[in-house]
Amino acid sequence: MPRPKKPASPFRYFNSSPEVIRLVVMMYVRFPLSLRNVEDLLFERGIDICHETVRHWWNRFGPMFAADIRRQRVSRMRGFHHWKWHLDGRCQSKCTSW
C-alpha cells in the first residue's frame, strides 16, 4: 500500500523557522509598526533580516495566518450555539405600541 502523503509545509523553502516567520508577520500586523521598525526590533532580539523580507513574508503568509485565526474564532464560537437573543419587556411594549 502506498503511504499517504503529508501536506507540504508552506515554510519548506525558507531558511528561517516557522516560529520566526509567524512572529515577524504578527508583529507587523498586530502593532502599528513600519517594516523598518519590525526589522529594528528583531535585530535587537538577534534576528537579522531585511525589511523587504518582512514585506515578502507578510504578503505570502499573512492570508494563511488570517485564515487560521478566523478558523479558530469560528471553532470557539461553535461551542456557544445555545445562545439566544432575548428582548426585555420594555422593548417589546414600545415596539408593539407603535
Side-chain angles (χ1 to χ4, degrees):
M1 278 183 22
R3 291 177 29 193
K5 283 188 172 182
K6 290 183 183 178
S9 172
F11 306 103
R12 67 184 174 269
Y13 298 120
F14 295 92
N15 292 333
S16 297
S17 68
E19 292 83 16
V20 171
I21 295 173
R22 186 171 188 92
L23 172 72
V24 169
V25 173
M26 289 304 171
M27 281 177 71
Y28 181 68
V29 171
R30 174 66 177 92
F31 303 107
L33 301 171
S34 69
L35 296 171
R36 293 187 190 264
N37 286 343
V38 173
E39 176 186 6
D40 292 340
L41 284 172
L42 291 171
F43 185 75
E44 291 175 2
R45 291 184 174 200
I47 302 170
D48 189 19
I49 60 170
C50 177
H51 67 280
E52 284 297 317
T53 305
V54 176
R55 185 186 61 77
H56 176 70
W57 287 349
W58 172 60
N59 287 335
R60 175 138 183 186
F61 298 109
M64 182 182 71
F65 293 149
D68 288 344
I69 291 169
R70 277 190 219 104
R71 194 175 309 114
Q72 290 171 1
R73 187 178 296 162
V74 166
S75 67
R76 275 186 266 145
M77 291 305 292
R78 284 191 182 140
F80 301 114
H81 64 344
H82 60 277
W83 279 22
K84 293 181 182 176
W85 287 97
H86 297 283
L87 297 174
D88 59 352
R90 178 190 287 172
C91 181
Q92 289 177 352
S93 63
K94 282 185 176 181
C95 294
T96 56
S97 65
W98 285 15

